[in-house]
Amino acid sequence: MKLLLLCLGLILVHAHEEENDVVKGNFDISKISGDWYSILLASDIKEKIEENGSMRVFVKDIEVLSNSSLIFTMHTKVNGKCTKISLICNKTEKDGEYDVVYDGYNLFRIIETAYEDYIIFHLNNVNQEQEFQLMELYGRKPDVSSKVKEKFVRYCQGMEIPKENILDLTQVDRCLQARQSEAAQVSSAE
């Protein structure tokens, strides 16, 4: 009985510690630098994130510059081939908010993060054709827990993005081979 109570206590302490790691404001941007993987992608205009959609990109890493701007290194598929792109995103006056021009004007913000595990972004895009919103879930590893994915789904529903417009990118080619070959080229050059 004592062992059972001890196990239950440890589980509760661990669950409480995990929730304490979640940051929803006053972000330490330096902690988002490093490698990331695209996990889930959602939009109220699904065509933007479907295969050959302009916003179907796969993050490789995020670099924080000295002026707090961010450089996102990503891959996108062009004619079936993984192509590397880099986007410089400028910090706005608001905490965790950035803008960038890519397929129109984009204003995005960090919804929440557990720096060592995942980050969730919400983006609004305005271009001549239409306005749309996008949600992104990135993980430090190629996948995240179902609990984090469920949280992302709830955020999407709160933004009125239907569940059928959420794509699980862990089930598609995310250009991981291109990412690995780039890393091999860098290490062989050193």
Side-chain angles (χ1 to χ4, degrees):
M1 182 67 166
K2 288 181 183 179
L3 183 59
L4 182 62
L5 288 173
L6 177 63
C7 289
L8 180 61
L10 289 174
I11 289 169
L12 291 173
V13 166
H14 182 68
H16 182 69
E17 286 174 354
E18 281 183 6
E19 195 59 37
N20 284 341
D21 292 340
V22 174
V23 180
K24 295 182 179 184
N26 197 24
F27 299 104
D28 181 351
I29 297 304
S30 67
K31 291 184 178 180
I32 69 168
S33 276
D35 292 341
W36 291 96
Y37 294 86
S38 296
I39 308 294
L40 297 178
L41 185 60
S43 179
D44 53 351
I45 300 182
K46 194 172 182 182
E47 302 81 56
K48 291 290 185 178
I49 60 171
E50 290 178 325
E51 200 163 331
N52 300 316
S54 62
M55 302 303 276
R56 189 176 178 112
V57 293
F58 311 103
V59 69
K60 179 184 178 291
D61 60 55
I62 301 172
E63 179 184 347
V64 179
L65 302 178
S66 60
N67 67 354
S68 296
S69 292
L70 303 175
I71 298 178
F72 281 73
T73 303
M74 304 178 166
H75 288 97
T76 188
K77 287 197 166 187
V78 177
N79 298 323
K81 183 180 177 194
C82 293
T83 305
K84 184 176 170 180
I85 58 173
S86 294
L87 299 172
I88 298 176
C89 307
N90 300 305
K91 175 103 178 72
T92 70
E93 297 296 318
K94 294 182 181 175
D95 180 39
E97 185 179 77
Y98 295 83
D99 65 7
V100 62
V101 175
Y102 175 78
D103 190 33
Y105 174 77
N106 299 278
L107 186 65
F108 69 92
R109 65 185 174 93
I110 301 169
I111 300 286
E112 77 172 49
T113 184
Y115 298 112
E116 298 302 316
D117 187 21
Y118 70 91
I119 191 166
I120 297 173
F121 291 102
H122 177 258
L123 176 144
N124 285 302
N125 175 287
V126 179
N127 64 33
Q128 295 173 347
E129 298 169 20
Q130 59 196 163
E131 294 182 22
F132 63 91
Q133 60 180 331
L134 185 89
M135 296 281 297
E136 298 172 286
L137 170 61
Y138 298 160
R140 289 290 188 179
K141 296 178 181 172
D143 207 349
V144 297
S145 71
S146 59
K147 181 179 170 184
V148 172
K149 288 179 179 180
E150 290 164 9
K151 184 184 293 193
F152 179 83
V153 169
R154 287 192 303 274
Y155 275 123
C156 290
Q157 291 170 334
M159 301 289 183
E160 298 184 8
I161 296 174
K163 196 170 185 173
E164 60 271 11
N165 286 18
I166 301 172
L167 301 181
D168 185 347
L169 298 178
T170 66
Q171 305 298 313
V172 301
D173 177 7
R174 295 180 282 176
C175 296
L176 296 180
Q177 288 181 326
R179 174 184 185 129
Q180 291 166 348
S181 67
E182 288 171 8
Q185 289 174 355
V186 168
S187 65
S188 67
E190 294 173 352

mmCIF file of all heavy atoms in Angstrom, residues 38-43 45-59 74-78 81-83 85 87 102-103 132 134-136 138 165-175:
data_model
loop_
_atom_site.group_PDB
_atom_site.id
_atom_site.type_symbol
_atom_site.label_atom_id
_atom_site.label_comp_id
_atom_site.label_asym_id
_atom_site.label_seq_id
_atom_site.Cartn_x
_atom_site.Cartn_y
_atom_site.Cartn_z
ATOM 1 N N SER A 38 8.689 20.035 -37.553
ATOM 2 C CA SER A 38 7.269 20.321 -37.770
ATOM 3 C C SER A 38 6.469 19.077 -37.398
ATOM 4 O O SER A 38 6.750 17.984 -37.895
ATOM 5 C CB SER A 38 7.009 20.687 -39.231
ATOM 6 O OG SER A 38 7.683 21.875 -39.556
ATOM 7 N N ILE A 39 5.458 19.266 -36.536
ATOM 8 C CA ILE A 39 4.659 18.138 -36.065
ATOM 9 C C ILE A 39 3.226 18.228 -36.605
ATOM 10 O O ILE A 39 2.765 17.340 -37.303
ATOM 11 C CB ILE A 39 4.625 18.084 -34.514
ATOM 12 C CG1 ILE A 39 6.034 18.119 -33.921
ATOM 13 C CG2 ILE A 39 3.821 16.874 -34.043
ATOM 14 C CD1 ILE A 39 6.899 16.925 -34.210
ATOM 15 N N LEU A 40 2.523 19.309 -36.263
ATOM 16 C CA LEU A 40 1.158 19.530 -36.738
ATOM 17 C C LEU A 40 1.073 20.903 -37.396
ATOM 18 O O LEU A 40 1.756 21.843 -36.990
ATOM 19 C CB LEU A 40 0.147 19.463 -35.589
ATOM 20 C CG LEU A 40 0.010 18.133 -34.838
ATOM 21 C CD1 LEU A 40 -0.992 18.265 -33.695
ATOM 22 C CD2 LEU A 40 -0.400 17.003 -35.765
ATOM 23 N N LEU A 41 0.216 20.996 -38.396
ATOM 24 C CA LEU A 41 0.014 22.229 -39.151
ATOM 25 C C LEU A 41 -1.484 22.360 -39.405
ATOM 26 O O LEU A 41 -2.139 21.383 -39.761
ATOM 27 C CB LEU A 41 0.780 22.145 -40.474
ATOM 28 C CG LEU A 41 0.832 23.340 -41.389
ATOM 29 C CD1 LEU A 41 1.483 24.542 -40.712
ATOM 30 C CD2 LEU A 41 1.606 22.978 -42.665
ATOM 31 N N ALA A 42 -2.019 23.559 -39.208
ATOM 32 C CA ALA A 42 -3.463 23.759 -39.377
ATOM 33 C C ALA A 42 -3.721 25.135 -39.971
ATOM 34 O O ALA A 42 -2.954 26.069 -39.752
ATOM 35 C CB ALA A 42 -4.169 23.641 -38.031
ATOM 36 N N SER A 43 -4.817 25.244 -40.727
ATOM 37 C CA SER A 43 -5.208 26.530 -41.301
ATOM 38 C C SER A 43 -6.710 26.529 -41.557
ATOM 39 O O SER A 43 -7.299 25.483 -41.826
ATOM 40 C CB SER A 43 -4.466 26.793 -42.612
ATOM 41 O OG SER A 43 -4.871 28.021 -43.174
ATOM 42 N N ILE A 45 -7.856 27.874 -44.135
ATOM 43 C CA ILE A 45 -7.903 27.618 -45.581
ATOM 44 C C ILE A 45 -6.947 26.456 -45.852
ATOM 45 O O ILE A 45 -5.738 26.637 -46.011
ATOM 46 C CB ILE A 45 -7.538 28.875 -46.398
ATOM 47 C CG1 ILE A 45 -8.529 29.988 -46.069
ATOM 48 C CG2 ILE A 45 -7.518 28.552 -47.887
ATOM 49 C CD1 ILE A 45 -8.333 31.266 -46.831
ATOM 50 N N LYS A 46 -7.493 25.260 -45.870
ATOM 51 C CA LYS A 46 -6.694 24.027 -45.907
ATOM 52 C C LYS A 46 -5.760 23.947 -47.121
ATOM 53 O O LYS A 46 -4.665 23.394 -47.028
ATOM 54 C CB LYS A 46 -7.620 22.812 -45.852
ATOM 55 C CG LYS A 46 -6.895 21.516 -45.548
ATOM 56 C CD LYS A 46 -7.865 20.381 -45.312
ATOM 57 C CE LYS A 46 -7.104 19.112 -44.963
ATOM 58 N NZ LYS A 46 -8.019 17.988 -44.771
ATOM 59 N N GLU A 47 -6.188 24.506 -48.258
ATOM 60 C CA GLU A 47 -5.352 24.422 -49.465
ATOM 61 C C GLU A 47 -3.964 25.013 -49.240
ATOM 62 O O GLU A 47 -3.000 24.622 -49.894
ATOM 63 C CB GLU A 47 -6.002 25.175 -50.641
ATOM 64 C CG GLU A 47 -7.394 24.712 -51.027
ATOM 65 C CD GLU A 47 -8.493 25.293 -50.136
ATOM 66 O OE1 GLU A 47 -8.611 26.523 -50.009
ATOM 67 O OE2 GLU A 47 -9.230 24.486 -49.539
ATOM 68 N N LYS A 48 -3.842 25.971 -48.332
ATOM 69 C CA LYS A 48 -2.553 26.614 -48.062
ATOM 70 C C LYS A 48 -1.538 25.659 -47.453
ATOM 71 O O LYS A 48 -0.334 25.871 -47.565
ATOM 72 C CB LYS A 48 -2.730 27.826 -47.140
ATOM 73 C CG LYS A 48 -3.455 28.977 -47.786
ATOM 74 C CD LYS A 48 -2.577 29.608 -48.843
ATOM 75 C CE LYS A 48 -3.192 30.843 -49.437
ATOM 76 N NZ LYS A 48 -2.310 31.463 -50.425
ATOM 77 N N ILE A 49 -2.026 24.588 -46.786
ATOM 78 C CA ILE A 49 -1.119 23.679 -46.088
ATOM 79 C C ILE A 49 -1.101 22.270 -46.687
ATOM 80 O O ILE A 49 -0.330 21.422 -46.258
ATOM 81 C CB ILE A 49 -1.453 23.603 -44.583
ATOM 82 C CG1 ILE A 49 -2.884 23.109 -44.352
ATOM 83 C CG2 ILE A 49 -1.211 24.961 -43.927
ATOM 84 C CD1 ILE A 49 -3.230 22.814 -42.915
ATOM 85 N N GLU A 50 -1.946 22.051 -47.683
ATOM 86 C CA GLU A 50 -1.938 20.751 -48.337
ATOM 87 C C GLU A 50 -0.710 20.639 -49.234
ATOM 88 O O GLU A 50 0.011 21.612 -49.463
ATOM 89 C CB GLU A 50 -3.222 20.564 -49.152
ATOM 90 C CG GLU A 50 -4.444 20.387 -48.264
ATOM 91 C CD GLU A 50 -5.735 20.239 -49.051
ATOM 92 O OE1 GLU A 50 -5.866 20.884 -50.111
ATOM 93 O OE2 GLU A 50 -6.613 19.493 -48.585
ATOM 94 N N GLU A 51 -0.488 19.448 -49.768
ATOM 95 C CA GLU A 51 0.649 19.244 -50.653
ATOM 96 C C GLU A 51 0.639 20.295 -51.765
ATOM 97 O O GLU A 51 -0.407 20.572 -52.348
ATOM 98 C CB GLU A 51 0.590 17.833 -51.254
ATOM 99 C CG GLU A 51 1.926 17.384 -51.765
ATOM 100 C CD GLU A 51 1.993 15.886 -51.985
ATOM 101 O OE1 GLU A 51 1.289 15.140 -51.276
ATOM 102 O OE2 GLU A 51 2.752 15.492 -52.866
ATOM 103 N N ASN A 52 1.779 20.920 -51.998
ATOM 104 C CA ASN A 52 1.996 22.019 -52.951
ATOM 105 C C ASN A 52 1.393 23.342 -52.482
ATOM 106 O O ASN A 52 1.413 24.321 -53.220
ATOM 107 C CB ASN A 52 1.481 21.674 -54.356
ATOM 108 C CG ASN A 52 2.173 20.458 -54.929
ATOM 109 O OD1 ASN A 52 3.390 20.331 -54.821
ATOM 110 N ND2 ASN A 52 1.400 19.548 -55.490
ATOM 111 N N GLY A 53 0.877 23.407 -51.266
ATOM 112 C CA GLY A 53 0.386 24.664 -50.707
ATOM 113 C C GLY A 53 1.557 25.560 -50.318
ATOM 114 O O GLY A 53 2.615 25.084 -49.904
ATOM 115 N N SER A 54 1.373 26.859 -50.435
ATOM 116 C CA SER A 54 2.468 27.806 -50.191
ATOM 117 C C SER A 54 2.957 27.805 -48.738
ATOM 118 O O SER A 54 4.101 28.154 -48.472
ATOM 119 C CB SER A 54 2.031 29.217 -50.571
ATOM 120 O OG SER A 54 0.925 29.627 -49.774
ATOM 121 N N MET A 55 2.120 27.394 -47.814
ATOM 122 C CA MET A 55 2.506 27.421 -46.397
ATOM 123 C C MET A 55 2.871 26.035 -45.856
ATOM 124 O O MET A 55 3.048 25.862 -44.658
ATOM 125 C CB MET A 55 1.381 28.030 -45.553
ATOM 126 C CG MET A 55 1.007 29.439 -45.966
ATOM 127 S SD MET A 55 2.383 30.620 -45.934
ATOM 128 C CE MET A 55 2.370 31.080 -44.218
ATOM 129 N N ARG A 56 3.010 25.073 -46.736
ATOM 130 C CA ARG A 56 3.416 23.724 -46.310
ATOM 131 C C ARG A 56 4.947 23.705 -46.265
ATOM 132 O O ARG A 56 5.612 23.362 -47.232
ATOM 133 C CB ARG A 56 2.881 22.665 -47.252
ATOM 134 C CG ARG A 56 3.113 21.255 -46.714
ATOM 135 C CD ARG A 56 2.464 20.253 -47.643
ATOM 136 N NE ARG A 56 2.661 18.897 -47.241
ATOM 137 C CZ ARG A 56 1.689 18.105 -46.811
ATOM 138 N NH1 ARG A 56 0.461 18.554 -46.717
ATOM 139 N NH2 ARG A 56 1.949 16.853 -46.503
ATOM 140 N N VAL A 57 5.458 24.121 -45.124
ATOM 141 C CA VAL A 57 6.900 24.180 -44.920
ATOM 142 C C VAL A 57 7.256 23.339 -43.698
ATOM 143 O O VAL A 57 6.428 23.109 -42.819
ATOM 144 C CB VAL A 57 7.398 25.633 -44.737
ATOM 145 C CG1 VAL A 57 7.220 26.423 -46.019
ATOM 146 C CG2 VAL A 57 6.702 26.324 -43.579
ATOM 147 N N PHE A 58 8.501 22.891 -43.654
ATOM 148 C CA PHE A 58 8.980 22.010 -42.594
ATOM 149 C C PHE A 58 10.177 22.663 -41.926
ATOM 150 O O PHE A 58 11.223 22.835 -42.543
ATOM 151 C CB PHE A 58 9.360 20.643 -43.168
ATOM 152 C CG PHE A 58 8.289 20.065 -44.055
ATOM 153 C CD1 PHE A 58 8.414 20.103 -45.435
ATOM 154 C CD2 PHE A 58 7.142 19.513 -43.504
ATOM 155 C CE1 PHE A 58 7.432 19.582 -46.256
ATOM 156 C CE2 PHE A 58 6.145 18.994 -44.321
ATOM 157 C CZ PHE A 58 6.288 19.033 -45.696
ATOM 158 N N VAL A 59 10.015 23.031 -40.673
ATOM 159 C CA VAL A 59 11.066 23.747 -39.960
ATOM 160 C C VAL A 59 12.277 22.838 -39.722
ATOM 161 O O VAL A 59 12.137 21.632 -39.510
ATOM 162 C CB VAL A 59 10.537 24.324 -38.619
ATOM 163 C CG1 VAL A 59 10.223 23.230 -37.624
ATOM 164 C CG2 VAL A 59 11.508 25.325 -38.027
ATOM 165 N N MET A 74 13.963 26.434 -43.102
ATOM 166 C CA MET A 74 12.908 25.461 -43.389
ATOM 167 C C MET A 74 13.182 24.768 -44.710
ATOM 168 O O MET A 74 14.050 25.179 -45.468
ATOM 169 C CB MET A 74 11.557 26.175 -43.480
ATOM 170 C CG MET A 74 11.193 26.963 -42.268
ATOM 171 S SD MET A 74 9.625 27.797 -42.549
ATOM 172 C CE MET A 74 9.237 28.287 -40.899
ATOM 173 N N HIS A 75 12.390 23.765 -44.965
ATOM 174 C CA HIS A 75 12.354 23.113 -46.275
ATOM 175 C C HIS A 75 10.931 23.177 -46.793
ATOM 176 O O HIS A 75 9.978 23.140 -46.021
ATOM 177 C CB HIS A 75 12.799 21.651 -46.180
ATOM 178 C CG HIS A 75 14.260 21.491 -45.940
ATOM 179 N ND1 HIS A 75 14.787 21.283 -44.676
ATOM 180 C CD2 HIS A 75 15.315 21.540 -46.780
ATOM 181 C CE1 HIS A 75 16.089 21.191 -44.769
ATOM 182 N NE2 HIS A 75 16.440 21.339 -46.036
ATOM 183 N N THR A 76 10.821 23.267 -48.085
ATOM 184 C CA THR A 76 9.538 23.153 -48.755
ATOM 185 C C THR A 76 9.769 22.295 -49.994
ATOM 186 O O THR A 76 10.896 22.193 -50.476
ATOM 187 C CB THR A 76 8.950 24.536 -49.119
ATOM 188 O OG1 THR A 76 7.625 24.363 -49.605
ATOM 189 C CG2 THR A 76 9.788 25.265 -50.152
ATOM 190 N N LYS A 77 8.735 21.684 -50.467
ATOM 191 C CA LYS A 77 8.881 20.857 -51.668
ATOM 192 C C LYS A 77 8.516 21.671 -52.896
ATOM 193 O O LYS A 77 7.439 22.248 -52.965
ATOM 194 C CB LYS A 77 8.013 19.612 -51.573
ATOM 195 C CG LYS A 77 8.555 18.613 -50.600
ATOM 196 C CD LYS A 77 7.928 17.274 -50.838
ATOM 197 C CE LYS A 77 8.735 16.238 -50.095
ATOM 198 N NZ LYS A 77 8.279 14.907 -50.422
ATOM 199 N N VAL A 78 9.444 21.712 -53.842
ATOM 200 C CA VAL A 78 9.231 22.382 -55.119
ATOM 201 C C VAL A 78 9.425 21.317 -56.197
ATOM 202 O O VAL A 78 10.511 20.736 -56.310
ATOM 203 C CB VAL A 78 10.222 23.553 -55.317
ATOM 204 C CG1 VAL A 78 10.020 24.192 -56.677
ATOM 205 C CG2 VAL A 78 10.088 24.574 -54.193
ATOM 206 N N LYS A 81 10.898 18.117 -54.958
ATOM 207 C CA LYS A 81 12.245 18.149 -54.399
ATOM 208 C C LYS A 81 12.278 19.074 -53.181
ATOM 209 O O LYS A 81 11.730 20.173 -53.212
ATOM 210 C CB LYS A 81 13.247 18.643 -55.448
ATOM 211 C CG LYS A 81 14.670 18.639 -54.973
ATOM 212 C CD LYS A 81 15.629 19.134 -56.036
ATOM 213 C CE LYS A 81 17.037 19.165 -55.451
ATOM 214 N NZ LYS A 81 17.953 19.910 -56.260
ATOM 215 N N CYS A 82 12.948 18.630 -52.117
ATOM 216 C CA CYS A 82 13.077 19.446 -50.908
ATOM 217 C C CYS A 82 14.023 20.614 -51.168
ATOM 218 O O CYS A 82 15.149 20.419 -51.609
ATOM 219 C CB CYS A 82 13.596 18.598 -49.747
ATOM 220 S SG CYS A 82 12.414 17.335 -49.230
ATOM 221 N N THR A 83 13.530 21.803 -50.913
ATOM 222 C CA THR A 83 14.283 23.028 -51.158
ATOM 223 C C THR A 83 14.381 23.816 -49.861
ATOM 224 O O THR A 83 13.379 24.030 -49.178
ATOM 225 C CB THR A 83 13.567 23.887 -52.226
ATOM 226 O OG1 THR A 83 13.381 23.082 -53.394
ATOM 227 C CG2 THR A 83 14.358 25.121 -52.565
ATOM 228 N N ILE A 85 14.780 27.019 -47.479
ATOM 229 C CA ILE A 85 14.479 28.448 -47.469
ATOM 230 C C ILE A 85 14.791 28.996 -46.076
ATOM 231 O O ILE A 85 14.714 28.275 -45.085
ATOM 232 C CB ILE A 85 13.009 28.763 -47.836
ATOM 233 C CG1 ILE A 85 12.037 28.064 -46.887
ATOM 234 C CG2 ILE A 85 12.709 28.425 -49.264
ATOM 235 C CD1 ILE A 85 10.588 28.470 -47.085
ATOM 236 N N LEU A 87 13.932 32.438 -43.595
ATOM 237 C CA LEU A 87 13.093 33.621 -43.432
ATOM 238 C C LEU A 87 13.565 34.404 -42.218
ATOM 239 O O LEU A 87 13.718 33.834 -41.129
ATOM 240 C CB LEU A 87 11.627 33.221 -43.229
ATOM 241 C CG LEU A 87 10.963 32.437 -44.356
ATOM 242 C CD1 LEU A 87 9.596 31.951 -43.920
ATOM 243 C CD2 LEU A 87 10.855 33.302 -45.596
ATOM 244 N N TYR A 102 6.116 36.619 -46.546
ATOM 245 C CA TYR A 102 6.224 35.334 -47.227
ATOM 246 C C TYR A 102 4.820 34.974 -47.669
ATOM 247 O O TYR A 102 3.940 34.793 -46.829
ATOM 248 C CB TYR A 102 6.797 34.249 -46.295
ATOM 249 C CG TYR A 102 6.820 32.873 -46.939
ATOM 250 C CD1 TYR A 102 7.804 32.538 -47.854
ATOM 251 C CD2 TYR A 102 5.837 31.932 -46.641
ATOM 252 C CE1 TYR A 102 7.817 31.282 -48.457
ATOM 253 C CE2 TYR A 102 5.841 30.682 -47.232
ATOM 254 C CZ TYR A 102 6.828 30.368 -48.139
ATOM 255 O OH TYR A 102 6.842 29.127 -48.742
ATOM 256 N N ASP A 103 4.582 34.899 -48.955
ATOM 257 C CA ASP A 103 3.236 34.663 -49.484
ATOM 258 C C ASP A 103 2.259 35.676 -48.886
ATOM 259 O O ASP A 103 1.168 35.342 -48.462
ATOM 260 C CB ASP A 103 2.781 33.231 -49.200
ATOM 261 C CG ASP A 103 1.491 32.887 -49.954
ATOM 262 O OD1 ASP A 103 1.302 33.400 -51.076
ATOM 263 O OD2 ASP A 103 0.666 32.124 -49.412
ATOM 264 N N PHE A 132 -5.904 34.547 -44.172
ATOM 265 C CA PHE A 132 -6.096 33.267 -43.506
ATOM 266 C C PHE A 132 -5.252 33.218 -42.252
ATOM 267 O O PHE A 132 -4.372 34.044 -42.044
ATOM 268 C CB PHE A 132 -5.778 32.085 -44.439
ATOM 269 C CG PHE A 132 -4.344 32.020 -44.895
ATOM 270 C CD1 PHE A 132 -3.400 31.297 -44.171
ATOM 271 C CD2 PHE A 132 -3.940 32.664 -46.053
ATOM 272 C CE1 PHE A 132 -2.088 31.234 -44.597
ATOM 273 C CE2 PHE A 132 -2.632 32.602 -46.489
ATOM 274 C CZ PHE A 132 -1.695 31.884 -45.759
ATOM 275 N N LEU A 134 -3.063 30.455 -39.539
ATOM 276 C CA LEU A 134 -2.293 29.219 -39.545
ATOM 277 C C LEU A 134 -1.843 28.940 -38.120
ATOM 278 O O LEU A 134 -1.524 29.868 -37.379
ATOM 279 C CB LEU A 134 -1.074 29.425 -40.451
ATOM 280 C CG LEU A 134 -0.162 28.267 -40.740
ATOM 281 C CD1 LEU A 134 -0.682 27.533 -41.976
ATOM 282 C CD2 LEU A 134 1.243 28.757 -41.034
ATOM 283 N N MET A 135 -1.840 27.682 -37.745
ATOM 284 C CA MET A 135 -1.299 27.249 -36.454
ATOM 285 C C MET A 135 -0.202 26.224 -36.744
ATOM 286 O O MET A 135 -0.344 25.402 -37.654
ATOM 287 C CB MET A 135 -2.387 26.605 -35.595
ATOM 288 C CG MET A 135 -3.508 27.509 -35.175
ATOM 289 S SD MET A 135 -3.120 28.579 -33.793
ATOM 290 C CE MET A 135 -2.814 27.417 -32.485
ATOM 291 N N GLU A 136 0.877 26.303 -35.956
ATOM 292 C CA GLU A 136 1.990 25.379 -36.133
ATOM 293 C C GLU A 136 2.423 24.828 -34.785
ATOM 294 O O GLU A 136 2.512 25.574 -33.809
ATOM 295 C CB GLU A 136 3.181 26.089 -36.773
ATOM 296 C CG GLU A 136 2.887 26.632 -38.164
ATOM 297 C CD GLU A 136 4.016 27.487 -38.690
ATOM 298 O OE1 GLU A 136 4.156 28.622 -38.211
ATOM 299 O OE2 GLU A 136 4.758 27.005 -39.564
ATOM 300 N N TYR A 138 5.677 22.757 -33.336
ATOM 301 C CA TYR A 138 7.025 22.244 -33.560
ATOM 302 C C TYR A 138 7.466 21.493 -32.313
ATOM 303 O O TYR A 138 7.104 21.874 -31.200
ATOM 304 C CB TYR A 138 8.031 23.367 -33.790
ATOM 305 C CG TYR A 138 7.808 24.254 -34.981
ATOM 306 C CD1 TYR A 138 8.409 25.513 -35.018
ATOM 307 C CD2 TYR A 138 7.036 23.882 -36.072
ATOM 308 C CE1 TYR A 138 8.253 26.358 -36.103
ATOM 309 C CE2 TYR A 138 6.867 24.722 -37.155
ATOM 310 C CZ TYR A 138 7.477 25.959 -37.164
ATOM 311 O OH TYR A 138 7.317 26.801 -38.241
ATOM 312 N N ASN A 165 -8.955 20.292 -40.706
ATOM 313 C CA ASN A 165 -7.925 21.147 -41.322
ATOM 314 C C ASN A 165 -6.604 21.076 -40.563
ATOM 315 O O ASN A 165 -5.730 21.914 -40.764
ATOM 316 C CB ASN A 165 -8.395 22.599 -41.380
ATOM 317 C CG ASN A 165 -9.443 22.832 -42.442
ATOM 318 O OD1 ASN A 165 -10.078 21.900 -42.932
ATOM 319 N ND2 ASN A 165 -9.640 24.078 -42.810
ATOM 320 N N ILE A 166 -6.467 20.092 -39.691
ATOM 321 C CA ILE A 166 -5.218 19.889 -38.950
ATOM 322 C C ILE A 166 -4.487 18.717 -39.590
ATOM 323 O O ILE A 166 -5.025 17.619 -39.682
ATOM 324 C CB ILE A 166 -5.487 19.610 -37.457
ATOM 325 C CG1 ILE A 166 -6.250 20.782 -36.834
ATOM 326 C CG2 ILE A 166 -4.170 19.353 -36.728
ATOM 327 C CD1 ILE A 166 -6.735 20.521 -35.414
ATOM 328 N N LEU A 167 -3.268 18.966 -40.047
ATOM 329 C CA LEU A 167 -2.466 17.930 -40.700
ATOM 330 C C LEU A 167 -1.382 17.428 -39.760
ATOM 331 O O LEU A 167 -0.657 18.219 -39.152
ATOM 332 C CB LEU A 167 -1.817 18.483 -41.972
ATOM 333 C CG LEU A 167 -2.753 19.032 -43.040
ATOM 334 C CD1 LEU A 167 -1.951 19.515 -44.243
ATOM 335 C CD2 LEU A 167 -3.776 17.988 -43.454
ATOM 336 N N ASP A 168 -1.261 16.117 -39.681
ATOM 337 C CA ASP A 168 -0.199 15.484 -38.889
ATOM 338 C C ASP A 168 0.999 15.292 -39.811
ATOM 339 O O ASP A 168 1.017 14.391 -40.641
ATOM 340 C CB ASP A 168 -0.685 14.153 -38.318
ATOM 341 C CG ASP A 168 0.331 13.513 -37.395
ATOM 342 O OD1 ASP A 168 1.506 13.950 -37.367
ATOM 343 O OD2 ASP A 168 -0.043 12.559 -36.690
ATOM 344 N N LEU A 169 1.986 16.153 -39.657
ATOM 345 C CA LEU A 169 3.146 16.118 -40.545
ATOM 346 C C LEU A 169 4.109 14.981 -40.210
ATOM 347 O O LEU A 169 5.023 14.716 -40.986
ATOM 348 C CB LEU A 169 3.873 17.462 -40.515
ATOM 349 C CG LEU A 169 3.035 18.646 -41.004
ATOM 350 C CD1 LEU A 169 3.823 19.946 -40.886
ATOM 351 C CD2 LEU A 169 2.549 18.446 -42.430
ATOM 352 N N THR A 170 3.892 14.303 -39.084
ATOM 353 C CA THR A 170 4.744 13.153 -38.771
ATOM 354 C C THR A 170 4.431 11.985 -39.708
ATOM 355 O O THR A 170 5.200 11.027 -39.771
ATOM 356 C CB THR A 170 4.582 12.697 -37.301
ATOM 357 O OG1 THR A 170 3.257 12.198 -37.099
ATOM 358 C CG2 THR A 170 4.878 13.832 -36.338
ATOM 359 N N GLN A 171 3.320 12.083 -40.443
ATOM 360 C CA GLN A 171 2.880 11.010 -41.340
ATOM 361 C C GLN A 171 3.250 11.260 -42.804
ATOM 362 O O GLN A 171 2.849 10.510 -43.681
ATOM 363 C CB GLN A 171 1.356 10.830 -41.233
ATOM 364 C CG GLN A 171 0.862 10.597 -39.822
ATOM 365 C CD GLN A 171 1.428 9.332 -39.205
ATOM 366 O OE1 GLN A 171 1.433 8.282 -39.825
ATOM 367 N NE2 GLN A 171 1.920 9.441 -37.984
ATOM 368 N N VAL A 172 3.995 12.357 -43.067
ATOM 369 C CA VAL A 172 4.365 12.701 -44.443
ATOM 370 C C VAL A 172 5.874 12.913 -44.528
ATOM 371 O O VAL A 172 6.568 12.987 -43.515
ATOM 372 C CB VAL A 172 3.621 13.981 -44.928
ATOM 373 C CG1 VAL A 172 2.118 13.794 -44.861
ATOM 374 C CG2 VAL A 172 4.051 15.204 -44.141
ATOM 375 N N ASP A 173 6.374 13.042 -45.750
ATOM 376 C CA ASP A 173 7.795 13.339 -45.964
ATOM 377 C C ASP A 173 8.047 14.791 -45.560
ATOM 378 O O ASP A 173 7.599 15.720 -46.225
ATOM 379 C CB ASP A 173 8.161 13.116 -47.431
ATOM 380 C CG ASP A 173 9.616 13.467 -47.731
ATOM 381 O OD1 ASP A 173 10.380 13.749 -46.783
ATOM 382 O OD2 ASP A 173 9.975 13.467 -48.920
ATOM 383 N N ARG A 174 8.774 14.962 -44.451
ATOM 384 C CA ARG A 174 9.082 16.307 -43.942
ATOM 385 C C ARG A 174 10.474 16.761 -44.346
ATOM 386 O O ARG A 174 11.059 17.622 -43.714
ATOM 387 C CB ARG A 174 8.987 16.329 -42.413
ATOM 388 C CG ARG A 174 7.604 16.084 -41.881
ATOM 389 C CD ARG A 174 7.591 16.133 -40.372
ATOM 390 N NE ARG A 174 8.118 14.888 -39.810
ATOM 391 C CZ ARG A 174 8.308 14.665 -38.511
ATOM 392 N NH1 ARG A 174 8.037 15.611 -37.641
ATOM 393 N NH2 ARG A 174 8.764 13.515 -38.084
ATOM 394 N N CYS A 175 11.014 16.174 -45.375
ATOM 395 C CA CYS A 175 12.355 16.524 -45.859
ATOM 396 C C CYS A 175 13.431 16.204 -44.827
ATOM 397 O O CYS A 175 14.454 16.891 -44.755
ATOM 398 C CB CYS A 175 12.424 17.987 -46.287
ATOM 399 S SG CYS A 175 11.366 18.390 -47.694
#
